[in-house]
Amino acid sequence: MTDATPPADHPADAAPDYDAMTRDIADVPAVEVITTVAVHLLSAAAVNLGLDKPDSEHKDLDEARKLITALAGLVTASATEISSFHAAPLRDGLKSLQLAFREASIVPDEPGQGPGEKFTGPVFG
């Protein structure tokens, strides 16, 4: 039989040491911050397009448009800073979202007027 009582120096109700658990933001490379933000934007846009699961009932094209435009601006502005190794997959994801948005829209935007296309140029399938 084991003693389930925590040692006296680690009481069960003690708060975790968050300082020890987190990295200082100054230690995080810029490319990691940029790609993490881009992935969050990409994921949120996909959910708002209803791409998160089959037969998803959640669709908010207005929110998706905002997220895709923000992603396009970030990817376009940072592409030369993060190298093509990191930018290429983000561009591919962005294009996929732009095409999914066009497909989900009842009245598609004119070429060049879709979400993010002011940064990327017209997107064609």
Side-chain angles (χ1 to χ4, degrees):
M1 197 161 175
T2 62
D3 184 8
T5 306
D9 59 335
H10 295 319
D13 60 339
D17 183 6
Y18 291 112
D19 290 336
M21 294 171 52
T22 58
R23 287 194 289 181
D24 185 36
I25 194 70
D27 296 334
V28 182
V31 66
E32 189 175 329
V33 174
I34 293 167
T35 55
T36 299
V37 170
V39 169
H40 284 291
L41 290 168
L42 195 144
S43 299
V47 168
N48 279 290
L49 286 171
L51 302 176
D52 57 328
K53 56 188 171 188
D55 301 322
S56 176
E57 294 180 18
H58 180 80
K59 280 192 183 179
D60 189 336
L61 296 184
D62 184 51
E63 289 293 304
R65 178 184 294 277
K66 293 171 190 172
L67 292 161
I68 294 168
T69 300
L71 176 62
L74 177 62
V75 171
T76 302
S78 65
T80 58
E81 303 296 327
I82 64 173
S83 81
S84 61
F85 177 78
H86 296 286
L90 295 175
R91 281 192 196 112
D92 291 344
L94 171 59
K95 182 177 180 182
S96 294
L97 288 174
Q98 289 171 313
L99 291 172
F101 184 92
R102 186 174 299 280
E103 186 176 305
S105 297
I106 295 170
V107 180
D109 296 314
E110 293 293 322
Q113 301 301 310
E117 290 183 358
K118 66 181 175 184
F119 299 111
T120 64
V123 175
F124 301 102

